[in-house]
Amino acid sequence: MSHEENKIEGKRQEEYIEKCRLYVSAFAVEHGQPPKACVVTFGCQMNARDSEKLSGILAQAGYELTDAEEDADFVLYNTCTVRDNANQRVYGRLGFLNSLKKKKPYLKIALCGCMMQEKTVIEKIQKSYRFVDLIFGTHNIFRFAELLSRMQASEDMVVDIWEETDKIVENLPVKRKYSYKSGVNIMFGCNNFCSYCIVPYVRGRERSREPKDILREIEALVEDGVAEIMLLGQNVNSYGKDLENPMSFAELLEAVEKIEGLRRIRFMTSHPKDLSDELIEVMRRSTKICRHLHLPLQAGSDRILQAMNRRYTKAQYLALVEKLKHAIPDIAITTDLIVGFPGETLEDVEETIDVVRKVQFDNAFTFIYSPREGTPAAAMENQVPEEIVHEGFDKLLAVVQETAKERAALWQGKVMEVLVEEVNEQDPALVTGRLGNNMLVHFKADRRLVGKFVMVALDTCHGFYYTGRMVDWLGQTKHTRLGKMVDNQWLN
Ligand code: SAH
Ligand code: SF4
Ligand code: F3S
């Protein structure tokens, strides 16, 4: 959208926010307090970022935000449809909301996000979930204020789903979940059409944001106390190809790196087929880009990779990892794996296991293939019987856990820089912090350190996390060995 169009749309939505505020005031008079809104997010980081925008609009409209659905007067589910269990969870919870609404008839219920871009879902809700008040999709969330206002004035279900959009609307209000870290969208949609995946159908084609808009947003976030950002896109490595003045992802990263006050840069997700040497070089030189790369493999068998339309081979993936590890020896590599793609045999799964052993992933999300309606893979005839899928899945998971443990043990005894994220849920005397490589460590510290960087000695590795203790800035506590990685970080 041009700057001018953006301004006009922004104005329009502001007018609707004013309208919503009238409803909120009337509600407050009737109930003695403003309405409480609860936004529940399913799915990925992109949905989480969208939810922050939706929450921002609700807050501007005067709603009080709550995490407790039972207390809410307005519940919004931001849904995911990447696997069927994500959908089933939404249907299950809708049953619960229905029971809440029976006790509190003025409760309003809204659904948005990826699941709503599927026709069959909308039909099902219109037929069997009549108590839902508002449904919208992924392409018109910038019109949320307008839709909310329509819902407030309507007795009937309001449904507004767009097939596609080429618009990117800037400057929506945002209510961040964390004060010290934030996601930043750099692009929307996906053009890859991996044969199992529904994302391109529900999120539309790739659209990159203008670099100046991205940089301005990050600068404002840093100004507001954010130390760590995660650049978000379904395939960040193809960022910028569609811009009027094309720019590579590596070039964008270099520009982001220059932002003063920003301490950590992460990004998600990288498609192996588009990961450039230029990007590896920028990562190697950077002092802010975290030593972590999420590089989804999906499968190790060339036959399956081809049927998945991933456009790389096992050998190419291994060569890429080799190159990465050579350039950045301390890099943590994580991945996504699918078991049970149509036609996959146990021998094919062995190929995946072989890659896991060779790469030594620091972590891997292992999924059971879920047929998604409308995708090429769902129509394939050779769907794999459940017992075979489970057998392969269990075998793969065991190896994944074993190698991830071995990797984690490598850092035991080192001192590393940690961003303190939260007070530990189980023990309030502890805080939980995140290392640059994305691992978590629990240690004793004052809760006022949340959002701050501290040095922590990683005393004990517990497989997927550490327990440790805070040390001074030079790591000079008695039982501490100073790791090489720390030296690098300090010298830079
Ligand atoms: N854009 C990202 C991932 C998006 S979805 C990428 O390309 O890497 C996140 C993960 O869900 C995928 O990496 C894949 O492992 C998994 N996934 C996607 N569709 C799936 C399906 N139909 N069944 C099982 N897992 C799936
Ligand atoms: Fe789905 Fe493939 Fe696009 Fe990732 S790259 S979102 S797996 S189609
Ligand atoms: Fe799910 Fe949509 Fe993300 S389908 S994984 S929420 S892009």
Side-chain angles (χ1 to χ4, degrees):
M1 236 198 258
S2 74
H3 185 62
E4 222 19 66
E5 284 172 308
N6 232 314
K7 255 174 123 175
I8 296 170
E9 185 60 43
K11 265 256 151 357
R12 250 175 67 99
Q13 295 309 308
E14 268 169 33
E15 282 162 21
Y16 281 109
I17 288 184
E18 279 312 311
K19 263 195 171 169
C20 294
R21 294 186 73 90
L22 293 178
Y23 168 92
V24 165
S25 311
F27 184 101
V29 170
E30 194 179 333
H31 298 273
Q33 56 184 17
K36 292 199 180 104
C38 177
V39 181
V40 181
T41 312
F42 300 82
C44 65
Q45 308 266 4
M46 263 152 283
N47 255 22
R49 185 64 178 156
D50 285 349
S51 288
E52 292 186 341
K53 294 176 185 161
L54 296 161
S55 301
I57 292 167
L58 285 166
Q60 280 213 342
Y63 283 82
E64 218 169 83
L65 295 172
T66 170
D67 287 335
E69 274 166 88
E70 315 77 77
D71 294 345
D73 307 298
F74 175 66
V75 176
L76 172 58
Y77 282 174
N78 188 9
T79 63
C80 168
T81 186
V82 76
R83 285 170 291 274
D84 188 54
N85 52 11
N87 299 44
Q88 294 316 320
R89 272 172 56 216
V90 169
Y91 288 127
R93 288 176 76 147
L94 274 176
F96 162 69
L97 284 187
N98 192 22
S99 66
L100 284 183
K101 193 161 180 163
K102 286 204 172 111
K103 284 181 248 159
K104 191 158 71 174
Y106 56 86
L107 171 66
K108 297 274 185 192
I109 299 166
L111 300 172
C112 68
C114 295
M115 209 176 137
M116 301 305 128
Q117 293 295 137
E118 289 181 275
K119 279 204 181 68
T120 48
V121 169
I122 301 300
E123 283 160 15
K124 182 166 172 170
I125 293 168
Q126 284 177 323
K127 191 158 158 262
S128 314
Y129 298 83
R130 296 287 321 152
F131 56 91
V132 171
D133 299 284
L134 168 65
I135 308 178
F136 58 103
T138 55
H139 299 306
N140 55 345
I141 72 160
F142 68 92
R143 291 260 170 100
F144 177 49
E146 178 176 347
L147 294 162
L148 187 65
S149 152
R150 268 172 63 193
M151 177 202 79
Q152 290 166 344
S154 167
E155 286 294 312
D156 300 323
M157 191 191 286
V158 175
V159 183
D160 192 4
I161 313 285
W162 298 7
E163 289 283 316
E164 256 294 347
T165 188
D166 54 3
K167 290 189 172 66
I168 294 181
V169 180
E170 297 291 340
N171 305 328
L172 291 176
V174 175
K175 185 107 185 134
R176 286 203 316 278
K177 193 166 171 200
Y178 304 97
S179 57
Y180 52 86
K181 67 171 181 180
S182 178
V184 173
N185 296 106
I186 64 166
M187 60 200 299
F188 302 92
C190 181
N191 286 354
N192 287 314
F193 290 94
C194 302
S195 64
Y196 51 82
C197 183
I198 199 166
V199 170
Y201 304 89
V202 297
R203 286 272 172 176
R205 292 299 66 71
E206 260 172 38
R207 286 151 282 143
S208 300
R209 281 177 76 196
E210 286 294 336
K212 66 171 182 345
D213 292 329
I214 297 170
L215 295 172
R216 200 163 46 204
E217 179 176 345
I218 301 172
E219 280 159 8
L221 286 166
V222 170
E223 190 86 347
D224 197 34
V226 167
E228 174 178 312
I229 54 147
M230 177 164 312
L231 304 175
L232 299 173
Q234 292 299 346
N235 177 15
V236 292
N237 296 332
S238 68
Y239 169 80
K241 291 185 180 149
D242 57 326
L243 290 171
E244 210 170 301
N245 299 309
M247 179 189 212
S248 71
F249 179 54
E251 285 166 337
L252 177 72
L253 276 174
E254 282 190 302
V256 173
E257 171 106 16
K258 293 202 184 95
I259 296 176
E260 235 172 274
L262 181 65
R263 298 277 299 268
R264 274 183 176 178
I265 304 168
R266 299 182 186 278
F267 51 86
M268 272 247 261
T269 303
S270 287
H271 195 305
K273 78 175 164 57
D274 298 313
L275 196 134
S276 66
D277 290 351
E278 189 196 4
L279 174 66
I280 299 175
E281 181 53 24
V282 168
M283 279 185 90
R284 191 184 68 76
R285 281 203 309 258
S286 169
T287 56
K288 295 185 181 175
I289 301 173
C290 289
R291 272 30 196 153
H292 171 218
L293 188 72
H294 188 63
L295 194 64
L297 166 68
Q298 314 301 2
S301 141
D302 285 342
R303 196 171 58 80
I304 297 299
L305 282 171
Q306 189 171 21
M308 285 178 162
N309 191 30
R310 289 293 288 180
R311 285 172 279 174
Y312 52 83
T313 61
K314 175 183 174 187
Q316 282 167 334
Y317 187 94
L318 286 171
L320 181 58
V321 167
E322 197 53 43
K323 200 154 58 171
L324 271 160
K325 290 193 169 183
H326 181 73
I328 312 165
D330 54 4
I331 196 164
I333 300 177
T334 58
T335 202
D336 292 343
L337 304 169
I338 300 177
V339 180
F341 183 86
E344 192 179 51
T345 62
L346 287 172
E347 287 82 70
D348 291 318
V349 179
E350 284 303 326
E351 296 281 325
T352 309
I353 291 176
D354 186 45
V355 180
V356 172
R357 287 199 199 283
K358 289 196 166 114
V359 173
Q360 296 269 303
F361 291 110
D362 289 72
N363 199 1
F365 299 98
T366 312
F367 304 113
I368 287 180
Y369 167 72
S370 168
R372 309 311 292 133
E373 206 185 311
T375 62
M380 292 178 185
E381 270 163 18
N382 44 358
Q383 303 289 323
V384 184
E386 217 172 293
E387 322 80 75
I388 305 282
V389 176
H390 283 282
E391 192 180 331
F393 182 86
D394 293 346
K395 265 181 111 171
L396 175 62
L397 193 65
V399 181
V400 160
Q401 290 180 341
E402 181 191 308
T403 53
K405 258 191 197 156
E406 279 170 30
R407 282 287 299 173
L410 289 179
W411 308 116
Q412 180 169 292
K414 299 266 192 294
V415 171
M416 298 236 248
E417 192 184 44
V418 163
L419 172 56
V420 184
E421 295 210 330
E422 58 196 7
V423 175
N424 191 289
E425 275 173 21
Q426 270 96 46
D427 182 352
L430 301 181
V431 296
T432 301
R434 196 178 291 272
L435 308 177
N437 68 12
N438 217 29
M439 295 250 328
L440 295 177
V441 54
H442 308 294
F443 56 99
K444 220 179 246 169
D446 193 309
R447 59 177 57 213
R448 278 170 299 188
L449 285 175
V450 169
K452 301 270 186 308
F453 287 89
V454 295
M455 298 304 288
V456 175
L458 307 175
D459 291 332
T460 315
C461 176
H462 302 268
F464 301 104
Y465 65 91
Y466 303 95
T467 46
R469 89 205 114 85
M470 234 170 90
V471 294
D472 70 16
W473 286 96
L474 290 170
Q476 300 293 5
T477 330
K478 257 189 195 154
H479 311 287
T480 307
R481 279 182 289 138
L482 200 62
K484 184 167 176 289
M485 189 172 173
V486 181
D487 287 338
N488 285 342
Q489 285 201 359
W490 285 116
L491 292 177
N492 281 321

